[in-house]
Structures are given as C-alpha cells and as structure tokens.
Amino acid sequence: KQEVTQIPAALSVPEGENLVLNCSFTDSAIYNLQWFRQDPGKGLTSLLLIQSSQREQTSGRLNASLDKSSGRSTLYIAASQPGDSATYLCAAHNNNDMRFGAGTRLTVKP
Amino acid sequence: GAVVSQHPSRVICKSGTSVKIECRSLDFQATTMFWYRQFPKQSLMLMATSNEGSKATYEQGVEKDKFLINHASLTLSTLTVTSAHPEDSSFYICSARGSGSEKLFFGSGTQLSVL
C-alpha cells in the first residue's frame, strides 16, 4: 500500500525567498505524481503533473522534480509571494489508487 | 486520523448504464465534499463541491444532469454517472472536510471503464 509523506508540515518564510517542499512515497510503481495547492474553503487546484517517465515539470515560478528510484519529489517555489500562502499537497497515482500526503502549510510573510 | 472510504475502487460497465460511486467519512462529519476526475495523462480536476443538505455546485463544463451528486447525510456523498459513455471513462476521487476544518481527507479513488 502506497504511503505518501510530506515534509515539513508547516513552513513560514519571508517574501522573496526561494523554498523547497518535499514529498516521499514508498511505492515507486507510480503512473504519475501531482502537486496541488489548497486554499481555505476551496478544493484542490492542480499545479503540476509529472508523468512516471518524466523527471521534472515547470510552470512559472514552480518547478517539480521526480525521482522514482528514491521515491521522492520536490516542489521548488522561486521568489515566493504572500499569494503563495496555502497548503500544498502531493499525490502519487498507482494502479487504481491515488494517495495524498498530509500537506505542507506555507505562509509567506510580506 | 480521519478516514474517507470510497467504493468501488474499480468498475467496468456497458455504455448506457448508470454507475454510482460512494464516498463515506468514517469517523467525522463531512460538511463539505469535493468530487474530482482525472483523465489519462491529465491533471486531477474538480468537478463539483457539495455541502450537506444543499445542491452541489458544479464547475464549468461539468454536466449536472449527467453527474448526479447527492450529499444527503454528513457521512455520505454519492456521485452517479448516468448513461455512461466511453468518454466518461476516468479516475474519480472524492475528498471531504469537516465543519470548521480546512484539512481535506481523500478517498482512494474509483477507476471507471465504460465499454
């Protein structure tokens, strides 16, 4: 059974800093790995999707990497802004099953 | 921790039939539930948000008459795909949130294949 862990659980940084969020998974036989953000009162917003054959994906200030062999993914946020404050979740998609990490609550202080 | 149970995990059906997917919160009262779907090689997309006792709010492009969502109790929400067609084949997943909490708990998903 896949287990997904996210570290840290919470992170507070000053505006402008670059930061890295970590996601680890126990079963490397994944179809894909996704990163989401969750804003208060809302559902998930998909940020980046990395297929199992890919090693990274980029969108604007976000870059996500995937290392299946080590069971790790990272989400890099460059030049953080207060609007980036949210909870970030990763999810590993295996056969008929998607497992989410518990999330990292990010606060970017002005 | 809180658990959300989603059933079935996999369903194969013939075109034209209806399929019901259940999402249950096992140890908390889920005042809000979200339904998502993911097509192959695409990102997970929100379909609808349902609050217990109210009509679901559907995202743009999601047909409410085709994807019937019922959230009649604080522990159960159902998604019924009516008159399913092969293009409805997708991975469906629910998430639930309790009153006053921002934390989401997820079902493990349902893989729907329509022949």
Side-chain angles (χ1 to χ4, degrees), chain A residues 32 34 36 38-44 46 49 51 89 93 96-100 102 105, chain B residues 9-10 34 36 38 41-46 91 93 97 102-104 106-109 111:
Chain A
N32 59 59
Q34 301 182 67
F36 303 89
Q38 181 200 352
D39 293 285
K42 305 282 185 64
L44 299 181
S46 180
L49 167 67
Q51 302 290 352
L89 297 103
H93 192 174
N96 299 335
D97 192 272
M98 180 178 286
R99 299 286 168 169
F100 287 78
R105 182 183 292 271
Chain B
S9 60
R10 185 177 179 87
F34 303 91
Y36 307 84
Q38 182 172 20
K41 299 189 182 299
Q42 296 185 25
S43 298
L44 196 73
M45 297 297 291
L46 180 65
F91 184 79
I93 194 166
R97 185 180 71 215
E102 289 300 330
K103 187 164 179 61
L104 290 176
F106 295 88
S108 55
Q111 182 66 50

Side-chain angles (χ1 to χ4, degrees), chain B residues 3-23:
Chain B
V3 176
V4 173
S5 175
Q6 185 174 342
H7 292 282
S9 60
R10 185 177 179 87
V11 58
I12 301 172
C13 68
K14 293 182 178 179
S15 184
T17 60
S18 294
V19 175
K20 180 183 284 188
I21 302 170
E22 291 189 350
C23 183

Side-chain angles (χ1 to χ4, degrees), chain A residues 52-81:
Chain A
S52 62
S53 58
Q54 298 173 323
R55 293 192 64 85
E56 68 175 343
Q57 283 287 319
T58 298
S59 176
R61 294 182 293 107
L62 305 179
N63 176 278
S65 69
L66 174 64
D67 183 344
K68 285 202 309 179
S69 61
S70 65
R72 293 179 182 178
S73 176
T74 61
L75 177 67
Y76 175 82
I77 303 177
S80 59
Q81 303 171 357

Side-chain angles (χ1 to χ4, degrees), chain B residues 18-98:
Chain B
S18 294
V19 175
K20 180 183 284 188
I21 302 170
E22 291 189 350
C23 183
R24 292 181 184 273
S25 58
L26 299 185
D27 55 0
F28 69 103
Q29 294 184 328
T31 51
T32 304
M33 286 194 175
F34 303 91
W35 286 94
Y36 307 84
R37 66 181 170 186
Q38 182 172 20
F39 293 108
K41 299 189 182 299
Q42 296 185 25
S43 298
L44 196 73
M45 297 297 291
L46 180 65
M47 298 176 66
T49 303
S50 74
N51 293 297
E52 185 267 338
S54 303
K55 289 185 178 180
T57 302
Y58 290 80
E59 297 298 301
Q60 191 172 9
V62 178
E63 300 173 60
K64 62 180 180 180
D65 294 331
K66 181 168 183 65
F67 299 99
L68 301 180
I69 292 173
N70 184 290
H71 190 175
S73 80
L74 285 170
T75 59
L76 174 65
S77 177
T78 60
L79 168 67
T80 301
V81 183
T82 62
S83 186
H85 291 282
E87 57 265 31
D88 298 323
S89 298
S90 184
F91 184 79
Y92 294 84
I93 194 166
C94 66
S95 67
R97 185 180 71 215

